Amino acid sequence: MSATVERAPRGQFDGVLQIVRYNWTLYIVAVLVSTLVLLLVEVVHPPAALAGLLILGALAAVFWLALSLAVSHYVYDRSDLYRWEWIRERTAANPRHVVNIHAGLDETSFALQKMYPAAEVTILDIYDPAEMPEPSIARARREARSPLASVKADFRRLPLETASADLVTVIFVAHELRRADSKEVFFRELARVIKPDGTVLLVEHLRDAWNLFAFGPGAFHFFPRSEWLRVAKFGGFRLEADVRRTPFVRALLLRHELG
């Protein structure tokens, strides 16, 4: 059984401020480029059609920057997503072994320990700089210092016994594996470690209409629902439930076909 560690409550703007800190270069570039484009139109006076396109592009960039921050604030600070009690409502009431997988930013293990005080909670850090080259991940890892110990793990071979976990949570991390074959190997490993009657909880933004509207081109960092279903099927999982946690976040509950 894991020892419970108390954590300070989240602030009203912690989520959106994290987004800004981890991706500040993208926001600065967007603002600078948009400003330079507007100055270029003002100074050079290109043909009307081209000027219109340039102004539209600059305004669209600023619009998506502002809208993405507003949506991030809603999702991570205002919704009930980070209260996490909904996990217990959808999964086993009393799992014996819970595994939480992250890539350096661990914001769920505290809640899992609190929800399942009698369970063994194993925390795995699957960060792989070769597979996850995004600068935002490196910034998050430098800043996020959780007092809960994580076990450094290779996503290709998790340090867990076969059929040992009742619940595996993979929250906002699987999309960092950008290559299809890496995701396939990872889901094969999830299938190996989960018990026949266990649950894998995958939580992700999807590349869908809601996220395209909210994040613009940034939504292409996410994968579509069809890709997660494909990878899940490759690993031998079936979709048990598809739950919306706000219009922008989906929770997919997976069970192994053999179960």
Side-chain angles (χ1 to χ4, degrees), residues 41 45-57:
V41 171
H45 301 294
L50 177 59
L53 288 175
L54 292 172
I55 292 173
L56 182 62

Side-chain angles (χ1 to χ4, degrees), residues 182-223:
S182 296
K183 293 195 293 291
E184 292 167 0
V185 169
F186 178 50
F187 272 73
R188 278 283 176 87
E189 267 298 276
L190 295 179
R192 181 185 67 81
V193 303
I194 197 71
K195 291 181 179 178
D197 59 345
T199 302
V200 170
L201 174 66
L202 175 72
V203 179
E204 287 285 349
H205 288 277
L206 299 183
R207 189 188 304 167
D208 58 12
W210 280 102
N211 285 291
L212 284 167
F213 171 73
F215 300 104
F220 284 90
H221 184 62
F222 312 136
F223 291 102

Side-chain angles (χ1 to χ4, degrees), residues 4-127:
T4 301
V5 179
E6 293 298 325
R7 185 182 190 181
R10 287 170 64 87
Q12 293 185 353
F13 297 94
D14 279 1
V16 70
L17 290 176
Q18 282 181 345
I19 297 294
V20 173
R21 288 197 301 272
Y22 302 157
N23 299 277
W24 62 269
T25 54
L26 295 178
Y27 292 112
I28 288 178
V29 168
V31 171
L32 288 178
V33 170
S34 298
T35 302
L36 289 174
V37 167
L38 294 176
L39 288 174
L40 179 67
V41 171
E42 180 68 22
V43 172
V44 177
H45 301 294
L50 177 59
L53 288 175
L54 292 172
I55 292 173
L56 182 62
L59 293 178
V62 173
F63 167 79
W64 268 316
L65 186 152
L67 182 59
S68 68
L69 291 176
V71 169
S72 296
H73 176 55
Y74 162 64
V75 170
Y76 300 118
D77 297 317
R78 306 299 295 179
S79 77
D80 68 349
L81 175 67
Y82 270 62
R83 296 182 181 92
W84 301 121
E85 288 294 330
W86 58 268
I87 294 179
R88 183 165 50 188
E89 297 169 2
R90 292 285 180 172
T91 59
N94 297 296
R96 295 178 61 186
H97 186 197
V98 177
V99 178
N100 186 38
I101 297 178
H102 67 85
L105 182 61
D106 179 11
E107 298 191 289
T108 52
S109 293
F110 284 97
L112 291 170
Q113 286 189 339
K114 185 176 180 180
M115 282 190 292
Y116 304 117
E120 175 189 0
V121 179
T122 301
I123 309 169
L124 301 182
D125 178 359
I126 63 167
Y127 177 66

